[in-house]
Structure formats: C-alpha cells, structure tokens
C-alpha cells in the first residue's frame, strides 16, 4: 500500500491498521511491527509511543487505550530511513514528501469521504474531517523542498479523540 491509499483510508474511516481511538495497547502490539520508544508521563496517566514518524498517545485506565495518533510526515524530509523501516515492518510506503494536492485528488475520487473544514493557521492550513476525527496539516510557509517539506506538502495527519477531557 502507498501513503496516499493509506491516508485516504484513514481519513474516510478514522482507523489505521484496524486501530482507532479506544483501541488497547495490546491491539497496537499485535498490529504494529516496528521498533518504538515508550514515554510514560510522570503522573502515570498518559503514555506516548514513538515509532519515529508515527506517534501514539494513550490514556490510562483499566488498561492503556489510544487517545490520539499523529503521523509526523514532515520528519521524513530529513530522516527518510524511518519510512524504509515502516515499509519493511508494515508494508506501507511513504515517500520523503507527500503533496496535499495528491491526497486531495485521491479523496475526490472515492465515494463517501467526509467533508473537510478548512482553517488558515498562518504557516499551516488545517483540514478537519470532524466525522472521523482526522486532522490534516499542510505546510503553507516554506516554499522549497529540502530537509523540510515544501509549501503545499503534508506536515502531519492526526487522529484525535472526540472528547476533549484528556
């Protein structure tokens, strides 16, 4: 699978590799086959699992459950090796840069994708799919691709909890 197919599926469903908000740490351990670092907060109430350019946030309870996922695509511009490891472990290919217009074009060709609201945030533009709790951040500042993403490239794509009490 390539990044555009993967991201289109995530935006439409609010799920990645069968995981979504509320999935357990055990579910993640069974689904994601890449190296990671865990960082538990000092309070013990939250944990971040860093896979390089994929980051999962968990909240505690009877067991750890996903509260957010962020795909930090901008990190691939300067460290493409993370994408190569992800492809080996997960079978999904991410390029060094991903243009918003490519993803937007793919979304326009699928049936029943969620409507997107747009927020101008200065150096970034945010596209939100409220029905699936997905946020797409597009670089609106830096013009040329180099060790950073260029103007119009995806900065990140995030899945977030509909409840804001976390």
């Amino acid at each position: 699978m390539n990044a555009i197919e993967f991201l289109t599926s995530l935006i439409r469903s609010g799920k990645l590799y069968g995981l979504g908000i509320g999935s357990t740490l055990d579910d993640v351990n069974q689904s994601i086959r890449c190296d990671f670092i865990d960082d538990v907060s000092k309070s013990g109430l939250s944990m971040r699992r860093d896979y390089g350019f994929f980051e999962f946030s968990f909240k505690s309870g009877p067991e750890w459950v996903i509260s957010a996922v962020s795909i930090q695509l901008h990190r691939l511009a300067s460290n493409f090796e993370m994408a190569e490891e992800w492809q080996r472990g997960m079978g999904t290919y991410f390029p060094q840069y991903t243009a918003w217009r490519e993803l937007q074009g793919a979304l326009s060709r699928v049936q029943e994708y969620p409507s997107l609201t747009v927020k101008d945030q200065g150096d970034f533009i945010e596209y939100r799919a409220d029905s699936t709790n997905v946020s797409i951040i597009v670089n609106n500042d830096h013009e040329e691709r180099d060790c950073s993403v260029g103007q119009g490239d995806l900065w990140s794509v995030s899945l977030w909890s509909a409840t804001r009490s976390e």
Side-chain angles (χ1 to χ4, degrees):
M1 175 184 314
N2 69 41
I4 297 297
E5 294 165 334
F6 173 84
L7 294 170
T8 299
S9 174
L10 171 61
I11 294 163
R12 288 181 67 209
S13 69
K15 302 268 186 200
L16 63 158
Y17 304 109
L19 303 167
I21 300 302
S23 294
T24 66
L25 182 58
D26 285 340
D27 296 335
V28 174
N29 289 337
Q30 291 175 21
S31 297
I32 308 295
R33 298 172 305 278
C34 293
D35 293 336
F36 61 87
I37 296 170
D38 282 341
D39 180 24
V40 178
S41 69
K42 290 181 183 181
S43 68
L45 298 176
S46 64
M47 179 177 74
R48 182 179 63 88
R49 177 166 283 183
D50 189 344
Y51 288 94
F53 70 106
F54 271 74
E55 289 187 6
F56 287 73
S57 297
F58 297 86
K59 64 180 179 178
S60 65
E63 57 187 317
W64 291 107
V65 295
I66 295 174
S67 59
V69 180
S70 183
I71 307 166
Q72 301 292 328
L73 295 163
H74 63 93
R75 292 183 182 172
L76 298 178
S78 62
N79 189 353
F80 188 64
E81 292 78 26
M82 289 187 281
E84 294 167 345
E85 179 186 348
W86 196 262
Q87 184 175 9
R88 283 190 304 275
M90 299 304 298
T92 306
Y93 172 75
F94 284 87
Q96 188 173 10
Y97 310 99
T98 304
W100 164 240
R101 72 179 179 279
E102 290 178 62
L103 179 56
Q104 191 176 32
L107 285 169
S108 72
R109 291 187 294 275
V110 297
Q111 292 182 349
E112 299 181 26
Y113 78 89
S115 63
L116 302 174
T117 58
V118 182
K119 279 188 181 177
D120 185 343
Q121 298 182 353
D123 291 347
F124 300 97
I125 298 172
E126 179 183 23
Y127 297 86
R128 289 178 73 109
D130 290 326
S131 64
T132 57
N133 299 333
V134 175
S135 176
I136 306 151
I137 305 295
V138 178
N139 181 29
N140 193 34
D141 180 39
H142 186 79
E143 292 192 26
E144 292 185 32
R145 290 175 170 174
D146 52 21
C147 63
S148 185
V149 297
Q151 186 174 27
D153 285 334
L154 297 180
W155 183 265
S156 66
V157 177
S158 301
L159 176 62
W160 38 269
S161 174
T163 60
R164 296 294 187 195
S165 61
E166 284 120 46

